[in-house]
């Protein structure tokens, strides 16, 4: 349950121009769309109804979520599916006053099923263009490697992406973290950086603080996705603060995947107060019970964040985004004025 917030904070959260930096587009696949796409393509699902599917969204940890998340992806087959998925997210994000989003996609989940890289990217890019034309919502694509798969598989994926490089801004690293350290992908990330792609990686979600340091040192990432376990290493926390390395934190995801027992226990407020460039994001909102504004509201209520902290969080996301300076300055002053 999301506790009630004072009305001025509700209004502030609604009004904040938001930048979303940790969003898996496949994680925006709502049960209604899963069912509709399954019927359209004649896919047999384990779940017979929207309610049954939504009822299955009870997770003990990251892996129990990933099993359902990858199963849901099976209904995404053609360019229109990827378009429909992304335009639905952009429309929902626009309703939350998201003005810019840097979104992940997991091509290996699709190419492994015989869906071409071009099918995925063409659908996403068409939705990006429509979102900008309709709502002025700009976006970038970050191609993620699945860390439970091999280095060879990641290299093959990078190769498949070559014809579409102009559509990509960065590369990321996601999926099951434990036992799959960043160093496993050091050579792939070196190659991706040489191709002009900006590196980010999930680290310190379920994995140890050492994976955060490894992602910084060996993958040269410019942001850490999640990163909440950084506080197991005080020297690392100091370094993240001094360097203003952004952490793309996802509070409702952390709650749903049992990374924290209670939102009130979340270290987001402490990390923010310690000067880290903490941001709030929704990760896989169709599965975790809330989009970005829900994450702001739930976190503000659980941690007692005030207006200044909420504005700082929104400004951190502007600082952490890959935006031209003029847009950055404009958004920062828009937030200041609220
Ligand atoms: N962690 C790792 N892999 C993921 C996630 C996440 O939160 N969401 C989708 N793939
Ligand atoms: Zn994620």
């Amino acid at each position: 349950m999301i506790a009630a917030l004072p009305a001025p904070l509700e209004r502030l959260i609604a009004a904040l121009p938001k930048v979303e930096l940790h969003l898996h587009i496949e994680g925006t696949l709502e049960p209604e769309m899963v069912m509709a796409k399954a019927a359209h393509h004649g896919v047999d699902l384990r779940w017979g109804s929207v309610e049954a599917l939504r009822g299955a969204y009870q997770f003990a940890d990251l892996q129990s979520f990933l099993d359902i998340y990858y199963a849901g992806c099976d209904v995404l087959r053609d360019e229109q599916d990827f378009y429909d998925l992304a335009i639905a997210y952009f429309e929902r994000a626009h309703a939350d006053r998201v003005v810019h989003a840097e979104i992940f996609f997991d091509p290996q989940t699709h190419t492994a099923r015989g869906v071409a890289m071009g099918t995925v990217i063409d659908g996403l890019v068409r939705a990006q263009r429509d979102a900008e034309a309709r709502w002025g919502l700009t976006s970038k694509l970050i191609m993620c490697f699945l860390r439970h798969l091999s280095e060879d598989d990641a290299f093959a994926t990078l190769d498949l992406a070559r014809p579409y490089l102009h559509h990509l801004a960065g590369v990321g690293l996601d999926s099951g973290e434990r036992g799959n350290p960043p160093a496993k992908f050091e050579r792939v990330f070196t190659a991706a950086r040489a191709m002009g792609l900006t590196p980010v990686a999930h680290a310190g979600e379920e994995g140890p603080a050492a994976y955060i340091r490894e992602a910084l040192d060996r993958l040269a990432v410019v942001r850490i996705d999640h990163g909440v376990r950084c506080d197991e290493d005080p020297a690392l926390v100091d370094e993240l603060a001094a360097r203003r390395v952004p952490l793309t934190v996802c509070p409702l995801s952390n709650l749903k995947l049992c990374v924290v027992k209670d939102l009130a226990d979340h270290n987001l407020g402490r990390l923010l107060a310690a000067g880290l460039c903490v941001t709030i994001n929704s990760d896989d909102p169709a599965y975790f019970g809330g989009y970005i504004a829900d994450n702001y509201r739930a976190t503000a209520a659980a941690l007692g964040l005030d207006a200044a902290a909420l504005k700082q969080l929104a400004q951190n996301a502007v600082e952490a985004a890959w935006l031209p300076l003029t847009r950055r300055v404009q958004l920062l002053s828009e937030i200041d004025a609220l």
Side-chain angles (χ1 to χ4, degrees):
M1 265 316 286
I2 295 173
L5 267 182
L9 291 186
E10 284 280 359
R11 281 197 296 275
L12 173 64
I13 290 170
L16 282 171
K18 297 172 196 71
V19 168
E20 176 137 71
L21 302 174
H22 187 153
L23 183 283
H24 302 262
I25 198 63
E26 294 90 346
T28 70
L29 183 57
E30 291 284 351
E32 290 79 3
M33 193 179 286
V34 174
M35 289 298 160
K37 294 289 182 192
H40 175 73
H41 291 298
V43 178
D44 237 341
L45 285 177
R46 264 184 275 168
W47 305 275
S49 68
V50 166
E51 294 69 33
L53 182 52
R54 210 182 286 282
Y57 294 176
Q58 305 291 336
F59 312 114
D61 55 15
L62 175 58
Q63 192 57 52
S64 61
F65 154 68
L66 290 170
D67 293 342
I68 286 191
Y69 165 86
Y70 293 131
C73 287
D74 191 31
V75 303
L76 301 170
R77 304 259 168 130
D78 57 28
E79 190 263 3
Q80 188 68 42
D81 296 335
F82 289 94
Y83 174 84
D84 290 343
L85 175 71
I87 203 72
Y89 163 68
F90 288 131
E91 183 169 21
R92 181 66 186 76
H94 172 64
D96 274 357
R97 271 226 83 198
V98 171
V99 295
H100 178 74
E102 296 176 0
I103 66 181
F104 300 128
F105 70 109
D106 286 340
Q108 287 156 296
T109 310
H110 314 301
T111 54
R113 299 180 289 112
V115 178
M117 179 71 83
T119 301
V120 179
I121 294 180
D122 286 350
L124 298 179
V125 168
R126 185 157 65 90
Q128 288 182 281
R129 289 188 179 136
D130 281 357
E132 184 163 1
R134 282 182 206 167
W135 304 302
L137 198 171
T138 55
S139 59
K140 292 181 185 293
L141 292 180
I142 302 171
M143 181 176 81
C144 281
F145 302 111
L146 299 182
R147 67 202 304 158
H148 69 279
L149 300 178
S150 69
E151 180 195 37
D152 278 355
D153 212 310
F155 265 116
T157 303
L158 189 58
D159 235 22
L160 286 177
R162 271 177 208 280
Y164 308 99
L165 271 188
H166 54 295
H167 292 310
L168 304 181
V171 286
L173 189 62
D174 64 1
S175 193
E177 188 179 5
R178 287 202 192 105
N180 295 300
K184 179 176 169 185
F185 297 94
E186 182 168 3
R187 291 184 296 193
V188 182
F189 269 65
T190 299
R193 292 200 314 274
M195 289 160 68
L197 297 167
T198 302
V200 297
H202 284 53
E205 179 187 18
E206 279 194 350
Y211 282 14
I212 299 172
R213 191 169 281 290
E214 202 174 292
L216 292 169
D217 292 349
R218 305 206 30 194
L219 306 185
V221 298
V222 302
R223 297 197 294 246
I224 296 287
D225 298 312
H226 292 297
V228 291
R229 284 188 60 184
C230 66
D231 62 3
E232 293 165 10
D233 178 350
L236 175 63
V237 173
D238 289 347
E239 186 179 330
L240 293 170
R243 289 173 53 188
R244 293 286 291 167
V245 176
L247 302 188
T248 63
V249 178
C250 307
L252 289 175
S253 164
N254 294 156
L255 183 64
K256 270 291 219 187
L257 300 186
C258 308
V259 170
V260 292
K261 265 213 208 69
D262 196 303
L263 221 43
D265 300 333
H266 204 290
N267 60 6
L268 179 144
R270 287 196 298 281
L271 295 174
L272 184 70
L276 278 76
C277 185
V278 176
T279 66
I280 285 191
N281 308 272
S282 68
D283 208 2
D284 302 284
Y287 294 89
F288 298 151
Y291 283 77
I292 189 168
D294 301 315
N295 274 272
Y296 270 87
R297 281 192 288 267
T299 309
L303 301 181
L305 300 178
D306 62 11
L310 291 167
K311 287 164 73 166
Q312 183 68 59
L313 286 161
Q315 289 185 319
N316 286 351
V318 174
E319 176 185 334
W322 305 331
L323 283 170
L325 189 59
T326 47
R327 180 110 187 272
R328 202 185 291 257
V329 168
Q330 176 232 318
L331 286 169
L332 290 174
S333 58
E334 213 179 300
I335 296 167
D336 259 339
L338 287 172

